[in-house]
Amino acid sequence: MLKMSGIDVCRELRRTSNAGIVMVTARADETDKIIGLEVGADDYVTKPFSLRELHARVRSLIRRLEGRGEPQDKLLKRGDLTISESQMRVWKRGVEIALTPTEFRLLTALAARPGIVYSRLQLLQAAMEDDYLNDERTVDAHISKLRKKIEDDPSKPAFIQTVYGFGYRFGGGA
């Protein structure tokens, strides 16, 4: 390397990238290895080396890096709805629907377990602040607003269904 040492290249790469770095060098002194690893190399291979060993080390690094990536977004797909829990976003047929935080929490609580009936109190506990826990009918108002946003016909809901005398369940929007 003409203008920068391998240590400098590694240090510069690490400032701007989380990419895997395997240093391959003739410098086999313990101090050189320690410096290379300290400035950001993920592995340090000294010459002479076998290509099979280098290949195995690169594969090992790739396995480690795959586990280090961003957590996968958990998407709930229910009928025409797609719910991104990590982004707190909802789409119906690919069109984003703006929901309040309470509406979003109600929807995800219901959609997480389709068919399960939740009482108003259970939904209050899952979706709202403690201030509202004494007024279970608050859920009805939020469900009504949520239905207007996600249902094709809010008077005949396919997603959020009423279970008379108890609460609500997610029907799947069939």
Side-chain angles (χ1 to χ4, degrees), residues 6-27:
I7 297 296
D8 291 335
V9 170
C10 183
R11 187 179 290 123
E12 190 61 34
L13 277 171
R14 194 49 75 213
R15 271 186 225 164
T16 59
S17 173
N18 198 24
I21 300 172
V22 177
M23 293 187 80
V24 178
T25 179
R27 301 184 75 147

Side-chain angles (χ1 to χ4, degrees), residues 76-92:
L76 290 176
K77 295 184 187 237
R78 303 289 187 253
D80 294 336
L81 291 180
T82 302
I83 304 165
S84 168
E85 292 186 65
S86 66
Q87 296 179 33
M88 291 187 66
R89 296 169 72 187
V90 177
W91 297 267
K92 183 173 181 182

